[in-house]
């Protein structure tokens, strides 16, 4: 059986895993930050309409 990195040096393995997790988290945060934001406000208009009409009874027919 071949020795694995995990069983060879536990503190180093833990450190490498934490650094890898930090790199992944940084990649996700940077990806969301650099993603182009929509210029239109259609989602905001729809949300505003939903909030204004919440609780009002609407006719079925």
């Amino acid at each position: 059986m071949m020795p694995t990195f995990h069983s060879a040096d536990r503190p180093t393995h833990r450190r490498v895993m934490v650094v890898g997790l930090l790199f992944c988290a940084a990649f996700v945060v940077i990806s969301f930050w650099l993603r182009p934001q929509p210029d239109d406000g259609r989602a905001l208009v729809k949300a505003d309409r939903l909030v204004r009409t919440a609780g009002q009874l609407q006719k079925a027919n």
Side-chain angles (χ1 to χ4, degrees), residues 4-52:
T4 62
F5 183 64
H6 175 72
S7 63
D9 188 5
R10 196 169 193 79
T12 304
H13 176 263
R14 224 178 248 158
R15 194 175 309 125
V16 169
M17 292 298 287
V18 168
V19 170
L21 183 65
L22 288 176
F23 273 114
C24 288
F27 176 76
V28 169
V29 168
I30 290 171
S31 296
F32 277 111
W33 184 58
L34 292 178
R35 187 176 59 178
Q37 300 297 322
D39 291 332
D40 59 355
R42 288 185 296 159
L44 296 177
V45 170
K46 185 175 182 181
D48 185 43
R49 187 179 330 126
L50 287 172
V51 170
R52 282 187 286 125

